[in-house]
Amino acid sequence: MLTSIDLRKKIVQITLEKKKLTNFTARVGLVLDISGSMQTLYKNGTVQEVVERILAVACRFDDNATLDVWIYDNEFSRLPSATEADFEHYVQKHIMNNKMIHKFGRNNEPPVMQDVIRKYTVEEDSSIPVFMVFINDGGVVKPIKKVITESAVQPIFWQFIGIGDSDFDVLKQLDTMEGRIVDNANFIHIEDIASISDETLYNLLLNEFPLWLKEAAAKRIIRI
């Protein structure tokens, strides 16, 4: 019998075929907001579901089928990567039961973003593209614009997902930000991520990434 992750991988594959992204390798990462307003979503299983849904993308993109994971509030933690073998209780094991992790404070994005950049451009420097999914429920600090602008020369595409009913003013400005060699960030707003179908989520998630791939390859930022 097919498991939920198997079904999701099939849906990802169909989406990739539609967008002509098959036979393609990318490193996949996930940054999770763990500020105070996210408590309910951690406790009711929504965040665990998000990990599984993005892991399905990593299984199709990533050459070793792993999902790199970070969480942040006003501090951040780089967590063990998620894989098909160990994702089922990932949030409970690595986040909720981990007393070393700072949880449910205020949000501050630039430090965790700098750590993402450090991992993919210093520790594991490569021209293989990075698809970075960034979950946030509002209140993003304005200095993220500087980080995104400066990282436009790096092989990282930032896909922000705003969840809940905040206004997301800063994230809405990402597509029109000037001063970048390529448009390296996109924002989608999904008010209730638990109720959206996998087909719809993957279609939204992978909508602008192919455009960046072409632009970044043309500017020799990535190798595809």
Side-chain angles (χ1 to χ4, degrees):
M1 189 174 71
L2 288 175
T3 64
S4 58
I5 189 76
D6 288 330
L7 291 169
R8 284 177 163 146
K9 286 192 298 183
K10 284 181 175 294
I11 296 168
V12 172
Q13 184 66 25
I14 291 166
T15 307
L16 295 179
E17 287 168 2
K18 287 178 183 175
K19 297 182 183 295
K20 297 181 172 60
L21 283 175
T22 51
N23 303 316
F24 170 80
T25 300
R27 297 174 286 177
V28 182
L30 174 65
V31 176
L32 294 165
D33 184 345
I34 196 165
S35 58
S37 51
M38 289 284 293
Q39 279 196 62
T40 300
L41 298 180
Y42 276 88
K43 291 174 180 175
N44 70 9
T46 298
V47 175
Q48 173 64 35
E49 191 85 350
V50 167
V51 171
E52 179 177 333
R53 295 171 99 173
I54 306 305
L55 175 60
V57 178
C59 288
R60 284 289 174 252
F61 267 159
D62 195 292
D63 54 357
N64 58 0
T66 61
L67 175 66
D68 300 321
V69 185
W70 286 257
I71 59 161
Y72 80 99
D73 52 6
N74 47 296
E75 298 182 18
F76 73 87
S77 297
R78 195 191 294 188
L79 302 181
S81 296
T83 69
E84 280 190 77
D86 63 5
F87 74 90
E88 287 188 343
H89 303 289
Y90 185 92
V91 168
Q92 200 63 39
K93 179 181 177 182
H94 294 294
I95 301 175
M96 302 304 286
N97 292 347
N98 188 342
K99 294 179 180 177
M100 303 298 291
I101 287 175
H102 198 270
K103 305 177 185 72
F104 309 128
R106 57 184 174 77
N107 59 298
N108 182 30
E109 289 76 23
V112 70
M113 294 174 74
Q114 294 288 5
D115 194 59
V116 167
I117 294 166
R118 185 160 47 246
K119 175 180 173 67
Y120 293 123
T121 67
V122 178
E123 297 170 21
E124 301 173 15
D125 186 24
S126 170
S127 59
I128 297 173
V130 178
F131 183 60
M132 200 71 221
V133 180
F134 199 114
I135 307 288
N136 169 267
D137 76 337
V140 172
V141 298
K142 289 182 179 177
I144 74 159
K145 291 182 176 181
K146 184 173 187 288
V147 181
I148 290 170
T149 299
E150 291 176 350
S151 67
V153 297
Q154 306 291 358
I156 302 171
F157 182 77
W158 303 91
Q159 177 59 68
F160 288 87
I161 303 177
I163 58 176
D165 57 3
S166 293
D167 55 26
F168 300 106
D169 281 348
V170 175
L171 293 177
K172 286 176 181 174
Q173 297 168 26
L174 294 181
D175 272 342
T176 56
M177 274 171 42
E178 296 181 350
R180 294 174 292 169
I181 186 171
V182 291
D183 179 357
N184 61 333
N186 185 44
F187 168 68
I188 55 177
H189 181 202
I190 303 172
E191 189 161 335
D192 183 5
I193 197 165
S195 68
I196 192 171
S197 71
D198 289 331
E199 289 91 342
T200 303
L201 176 64
Y202 294 138
N203 191 55
L204 288 170
L205 199 62
L206 297 165
N207 193 44
E208 199 158 312
F209 186 49
L211 302 176
W212 173 79
L213 287 171
K214 288 178 182 176
E215 290 183 14
K219 296 284 173 55
R220 298 186 178 178
I221 296 168
I222 61 171
R223 182 184 73 248
I224 57 175

